[in-house]
Amino acid sequence: MGEALTGLKRSCMCCEVNESMIGKEVTVMGWVQRRRDLGQLIFIALRDKTGLVQIAIDGNVAEKDLFAKAEGVRSEFVLAVKGQVAPRTEGNINPNMKTGTIEIIASEIRILSESETTPFQIEDNITVKDDLRLKYRYLDLRRRSQLNNLLLRHKVVQVMRNFLDQENFLEIETPILGKSTPEGARDYLVPSRVHPGNFYGLPQSPQLYKQLLMVSGMDRYYQVAKCFRDEDLRADRQPEFTQVDMELSFVDVEDIMDVNERMMQKVFKDVLNLEIPLPLKRMTYKEAMERFGSDKPDIRFGMELVNISEVVAGTDFVVFKTALEAGGSVRAINAKDCGSFPRKKIDSLVEFVKTYRAKGLAWIVVNEDGTLKSQIAKFFTEEKLQEIVDKMDGKPGDLILICADQDKVVFDSLGALRLELSKMLELTKSDDYSFLWITEFPMLEWDEEAGRFVAVHHPFTAPMDEDLTLLETDPGKVRAKAYDIVLNGYELGGGSIRIHRRDVQQKMFELLGFSQEDAQERFGFLLDAFKYGVPPHGGLAFGLDRIIMLMCGATSIRDVIAFPKVKDASCPMTDAPNVVDQKQLDELAIHINQEIMKAVEAAETAE
């Protein structure tokens, strides 16, 4: 049974106790990190969100009841402790603790709550499966590393809010229950009891609402917005996530880039004390793909892609020849000083690129004596192999890796391969931050299955002014006024200038295969608003979880979200999603076909 807190009031947090308080009485409260029993002397490390402080109970001095109570204390008990601050003896000083030069000589201890043995130790650097940590997430969050992640998240949001307030933005909330609209992923749907058979869509982003706020004259809006997408998960995705979302009126691309890079500069300075030089680097989408095989390149290391199509054109090697004849390309990367890789490791790289639909990977090793070794040597003269190596600036000890296919496959394969090699070779550090903007994204891409163009971003993204005429003559070449801010190979945020001209918007809908009726059905409330005077506007949305992940040096956004989901979008702690009672389903006019459910369960069991 826990004791009452009545009559005790916390005077300070654990790590606020310091040498200036020596001789004074304090009251601290928290969890027992550990207890050391030295016979007649007991030490308790008490923990709260600020850290640890040592409590000392001397059996030669303390009352018997107090000492007996201290003997019964165990890890994770919740205590209130009153006592006098005293200096530690010289041999007892702990330089690794913020409070390592002092301790509290307890005069009163109250056990506010007892604890069973926890399923894992409340310490950093523990080896515990993620599912177990997330099942007991409230215990996992007691660990200092997890608490620090949430503290950093809090600081980042505070800095952003203060910065945007100084820049004359208004923080405005937009609805969570809204109209289901196509935005690239599946919506999470909420059934309406009042309107049986109808559903609200949870927002994938506040996109349409923030554009309506510009029509409303709000001029500058922002929101720390919860968003929902029913999509397959990976390390940097969750079914519910947080965006720092903004929209501005009477602006162009440069204005939006300026305010956002200044905001990121302030965040990194105020939170990590790091200077981010401005302006940030810029790179077009085309350049990023050709140099790095990615529209979110990690530019902290080289190993850039090189197009060797002209060098190998005219050779009879069927793999290269077929790719070039089909309109593809042959490109390569130079893995410096990797020529000593054993054949088994090179073969593993070949298998790696196959997961990106590459049919294989050719390689050339430049031996230390300058001679060349390659599995494709029999298809080329020594002169032609040397020409490839020269094009790649190959030196003794280097490994040239070559991929031939359609450009998308080549870019995806070599782009992923250079990242994989950077991990293997430890070419980057998590605390080395390299930002850049990616600009001039394609407006449209052709969908073979649908037999039409689809929007790379969304239907309201504006084309670049100089490409407007291409909407009629060559839509696939139209570039968008779209931009992404990238950090260390991750897209931190993205946005665009929006279409505000009716004729351009109508042409866009036509290219996307929307009839006027389709467009009205899907986006009618926005299109209706656009009849009444629309300012030129644009915006950007940051993925807050991803920013915090990179600033913390974490490998997954789950480590920076208080209560995240696992890969199948379930919550091990609460067992969500869960079955609801039949009465509620009846009220919502929802009927579950039990036969179908049984078939689905049987299929999942079989898998």
Side-chain angles (χ1 to χ4, degrees), residues 268-486:
F268 274 75
K269 177 61 178 176
D270 287 7
V271 178
L272 298 182
N273 196 30
L274 288 176
E275 294 287 352
I276 304 298
L278 299 184
L280 301 182
K281 296 176 183 177
R282 300 191 185 188
M283 189 180 298
T284 66
Y285 171 86
K286 184 176 185 294
E287 181 185 354
M289 296 304 294
E290 291 187 345
R291 290 177 58 189
F292 300 98
S294 172
D295 60 0
K296 46 182 184 295
D298 189 337
I299 59 173
R300 292 175 295 172
F301 64 99
M303 218 180 295
E304 296 185 17
L305 281 63
V306 177
N307 192 340
I308 62 171
S309 298
E310 290 186 4
V311 177
V312 300
T315 61
D316 292 327
F317 182 44
V318 67
V319 176
F320 293 176
K321 185 177 180 180
T322 302
L324 294 175
E325 287 176 350
S329 61
V330 183
R331 299 173 193 261
I333 58 176
N334 184 352
K336 304 295 291 184
D337 302 319
C338 293
S340 59
F341 276 9
R343 180 62 185 267
K344 187 175 181 180
K345 181 175 276 191
I346 295 176
D347 289 343
S348 72
L349 300 179
V350 176
E351 292 303 311
F352 175 82
V353 297
K354 287 181 180 179
T355 63
Y356 294 88
R357 297 192 297 120
K359 298 177 182 66
L361 193 67
W363 52 266
I364 303 172
V365 171
V366 185
N367 293 316
E368 292 297 338
D369 61 1
T371 60
L372 305 178
K373 179 174 65 176
S374 172
Q375 94 276 39
I376 61 171
K378 62 184 178 181
F379 301 105
F380 297 89
T381 63
E382 288 186 14
E383 292 77 14
K384 180 57 69 172
L385 278 181
Q386 187 62 53
E387 191 178 348
I388 295 172
V389 170
D390 291 343
K391 178 72 173 178
M392 297 303 301
D393 192 28
K395 299 292 189 293
D398 290 350
L399 172 64
I400 313 299
L401 298 163
I402 309 168
C403 184
D405 212 306
Q406 294 299 308
D407 279 352
K408 179 171 177 22
V409 174
V410 173
F411 289 150
D412 289 349
S413 301
L414 292 183
L417 182 61
R418 68 181 291 274
L419 294 178
E420 181 69 11
L421 285 165
S422 78
K423 293 176 186 175
M424 292 171 55
L425 302 171
E426 298 181 346
L427 299 180
T428 61
K429 296 179 181 179
S430 61
D431 59 354
D432 178 18
Y433 299 101
S434 187
F435 287 87
L436 79 158
W437 288 103
I438 302 297
T439 62
E440 298 183 21
F441 281 86
M443 185 87 171
L444 305 160
E445 61 184 1
W446 185 257
D447 187 321
E448 292 289 348
E449 286 187 18
R452 62 175 176 82
F453 284 107
V454 295
V456 172
H457 287 83
H458 55 68
F460 303 100
T461 300
M464 294 186 67
D465 297 338
E466 55 268 42
D467 290 354
L468 270 174
T469 56
L470 294 175
L471 286 172
E472 297 286 351
T473 60
D474 197 349
K477 290 186 177 179
V478 177
R479 295 165 299 163
K481 285 188 178 181
Y483 35 81
D484 284 355
I485 185 168
V486 174

Side-chain angles (χ1 to χ4, degrees), residues 37 105 152-153 258-259 284 345 378 500 540 570:
D37 192 335
I105 309 300
L152 186 142
R153 184 185 182 110
D258 171 68
V259 72
T284 66
K345 181 175 276 191
K378 62 184 178 181
H500 73 284
L540 181 141
S570 66

Side-chain angles (χ1 to χ4, degrees), residues 453-521:
F453 284 107
V454 295
V456 172
H457 287 83
H458 55 68
F460 303 100
T461 300
M464 294 186 67
D465 297 338
E466 55 268 42
D467 290 354
L468 270 174
T469 56
L470 294 175
L471 286 172
E472 297 286 351
T473 60
D474 197 349
K477 290 186 177 179
V478 177
R479 295 165 299 163
K481 285 188 178 181
Y483 35 81
D484 284 355
I485 185 168
V486 174
L487 174 61
N488 296 358
Y490 289 88
E491 177 196 334
L492 288 192
S496 67
I497 299 298
R498 323 304 184 189
I499 298 171
H500 73 284
R501 285 174 45 183
R502 287 192 199 178
D503 58 333
V504 177
Q505 187 65 71
Q506 183 58 44
K507 184 61 185 177
M508 179 60 62
F509 283 144
E510 289 175 11
L511 290 169
L512 297 175
F514 291 162
S515 66
Q516 289 188 7
E517 292 75 16
D518 289 336
Q520 190 64 31
E521 170 63 26

Side-chain angles (χ1 to χ4, degrees), residues 97-246:
M97 284 178 64
K98 185 177 179 181
T99 57
T101 60
I102 54 89
E103 60 190 9
I104 299 173
I105 309 300
S107 59
E108 181 179 357
I109 295 177
R110 293 192 197 178
I111 299 177
L112 304 178
S113 177
E114 298 180 354
S115 172
E116 296 181 3
T117 301
T118 55
F120 50 83
Q121 290 182 299
I122 312 300
E123 294 177 353
D124 288 338
N125 303 315
I126 54 174
T127 305
V128 179
K129 290 184 177 180
D130 282 353
D131 284 356
L132 184 63
R133 287 198 304 115
L134 295 179
K135 180 176 177 61
Y136 298 95
R137 183 62 165 173
Y138 43 84
L139 298 179
D140 190 40
L141 291 176
R142 292 182 188 177
R143 297 192 300 123
R144 190 71 216 176
S145 59
Q146 296 299 301
L147 173 60
N148 284 343
N149 290 349
L150 295 185
L151 289 173
L152 186 142
R153 184 185 182 110
H154 165 77
K155 291 176 183 176
V156 168
V157 173
Q158 290 297 314
V159 172
M160 286 181 168
R161 279 195 159 105
N162 291 336
F163 175 87
L164 292 170
D165 182 62
Q166 291 296 314
E167 295 287 326
N168 297 316
F169 282 78
L170 297 178
E171 183 173 8
I172 305 173
E173 294 180 350
T174 56
I176 294 296
L177 297 177
K179 180 181 174 66
S180 178
T181 58
E183 294 187 49
R186 289 179 295 273
D187 285 336
Y188 277 104
L189 301 176
V190 179
S192 170
R193 178 183 59 80
V194 180
H195 304 282
N198 291 310
F199 295 82
Y200 299 102
L202 299 184
Q204 295 183 34
S205 75
Q207 180 63 47
L208 302 185
Y209 286 110
K210 68 180 182 179
Q211 290 190 250
L212 287 171
L213 287 171
M214 297 303 100
V215 179
S216 303
M218 295 300 104
D219 196 73
R220 290 191 168 198
Y221 136 95
Y222 85 94
Q223 179 182 190
V224 181
K226 186 67 81 173
C227 304
F228 308 85
R229 292 180 187 173
D230 184 7
E231 57 187 352
D232 295 333
L233 305 188
R234 58 188 185 214
D236 59 340
R237 282 187 180 173
Q238 282 280 295
E240 52 181 312
F241 56 96
T242 305
Q243 286 184 351
V244 179
D245 192 58
M246 66 182 69

